[in-house]
Amino acid sequence: ESGRPGYDPVVQAGTGIMELTGYPDGPPARLGIGAVDLGTALWAAIGIQAALANRASHGEGALIEASLFETSAWWLSYHLIGYLGTGATPQRQGTGTPFIAPYEVFATAEGDLFIGAGNDRLFHALADELGLPELRDDPRYGSNEARVANRAGLRAAIQKALLGHPATAWETRLNSRSVPCSAVRTVADLAADPQLAALELLTSYPHPQIPDLRLIDMPVSAGKRRAAHRYPPPLLGEHTDQVLAELGIDDTRIRELRSKGIIA
C-alpha cells in the first residue's frame, strides 16, 4: 500500500466510507469535504505535539507516522466495532443513523430541517410542539429502540406535520423546547452567518493578486487568543531565495540556479 498515491476519495472508496454515504436506494457517494486528508494532518500534528512533550520529559526523539488509511479506518471506528460485534454490515442511511429515531432531515413548507430527538424527553417535546401528543403514548414509539424499529411510520407522521410551516419557523419553535435541530443551510449562508463574524473566524489578508482574500482562521483559541494565520498563502517561488539562503546557499549560486531554470 505504501507505494500507491494517496487521494482522499480513493481511500474513502477503499475503506467503506463511500459505501456508507448517501441514501439506501442511491449509489455510494463521497463526503463533500476532505475529511481523510484533513484528519490525517490533524493526527500528524497531535503526534508531533506528543513527541515534543516526550522529548521535553525524556530527551528522546520520535518518528511520527500517519496515513490516510489509518485515519479513514479511525473515522469508521464505531461502524467497524458494530460489525465485529454483530456480523451485520452497516448500510447507507441518508441523513439518518441506524441507532436513533427521529434523527434525520425532513422537508418542510419551505426548506429542509434536521431533527435529532435522541432521548425520550426530547421526543416528547418534539411530539408536543408538532401537535402530535398521541405519539407520546403510542407503544410503537415508547422508547428509542421501538422508534428505530418503527421508523417508517414515525417518519411519515412527523413529515406530514412539518409541512405546515417553513424550516426556520420550526427551528425557532423547537429550539425553544431544547429539541436539537437546524434548518439545512448552504455555504453561502455560512459566509453570512453572524456567528462567523462574532468569532472573527473569517479574516481578511492583504494579497498582491487577490484584493479581497478572506480565509478561515484556526478553529481553536488559547487564553482567549486565536491561533490565527499570520501571512496569506505565498506566491509561487516567493520565498525561494530566503529558504535557499537559510540552507547556506549564497547569492551567486542562487542566481546561477535561476539562470539555468532550476528555480523560478
Side-chain angles (χ1 to χ4, degrees):
E1 295 288 335
S2 62
R4 297 177 62 183
Y7 290 93
D8 188 302
V10 173
V11 179
Q12 286 187 38
T15 56
I17 288 179
M18 198 173 286
E19 175 61 23
L20 281 176
T21 307
Y23 285 86
D25 56 352
R30 63 161 292 179
L31 298 175
I33 57 173
V36 181
D37 281 344
L38 296 173
T40 303
L42 287 172
W43 278 114
I46 292 169
I48 291 168
Q49 291 168 0
L52 290 171
N54 184 69
R55 185 186 69 178
S57 299
H58 304 292
E60 298 176 352
L63 172 64
I64 305 303
E65 295 183 273
S67 71
L68 301 183
F69 182 90
E70 290 167 281
T71 299
S72 189
W74 181 81
W75 283 131
L76 287 163
S77 56
Y78 69 83
H79 287 292
L80 181 58
I81 292 168
Y83 165 73
L84 294 174
T86 66
T89 302
Q91 304 297 313
R92 291 192 289 280
Q93 300 289 325
T95 62
T97 172
F99 312 115
I100 306 172
Y103 204 86
E104 57 193 295
V105 168
F106 296 87
T108 71
E110 182 181 343
D112 296 316
L113 179 74
F114 180 87
I115 297 175
N119 58 43
D120 292 345
R121 180 184 64 79
L122 294 173
F123 176 68
H124 293 167
L126 171 65
D128 288 344
E129 194 62 41
L130 293 179
L132 300 172
E134 65 274 13
L135 296 182
R136 299 181 52 161
D137 302 319
D138 192 320
R140 294 175 299 171
Y141 313 130
S143 67
N144 180 66
E145 184 179 6
R147 291 191 290 274
V148 169
N150 296 285
R151 183 193 304 271
L154 177 62
R155 175 177 171 80
I158 293 173
Q159 179 61 89
K160 183 177 180 180
L162 287 172
L163 293 176
H165 300 285
T168 51
W170 283 120
E171 184 178 27
T172 299
R173 290 174 58 174
L174 293 175
N175 278 335
S176 72
R177 303 289 294 264
S178 298
V179 177
C181 67
S182 177
V184 178
R185 296 183 170 87
T186 66
V187 173
D189 294 326
L190 173 62
D193 194 316
Q195 182 68 9
L196 198 71
L199 291 169
E200 298 181 345
L201 195 55
L202 190 61
T203 306
S204 296
Y205 292 89
H207 193 281
Q209 296 181 354
I210 308 173
D212 186 31
L213 177 65
R214 289 177 291 172
L215 301 174
I216 290 285
D217 268 333
M218 299 293 287
V220 63
S221 299
K224 297 186 178 181
R225 295 183 60 187
R226 185 173 300 285
H229 298 294
R230 290 181 296 169
Y231 307 105
L235 300 174
L236 180 63
E238 180 179 348
H239 300 109
T240 298
D241 289 11
Q242 177 182 336
V243 171
L244 293 178
E246 290 177 0
L247 294 173
I249 300 175
D250 61 31
D251 291 344
T252 301
R253 180 57 175 160
I254 292 174
R255 286 194 296 271
E256 180 184 347
L257 292 172
R258 182 165 285 113
S259 68
K260 293 180 178 180
I262 296 174
I263 62 174

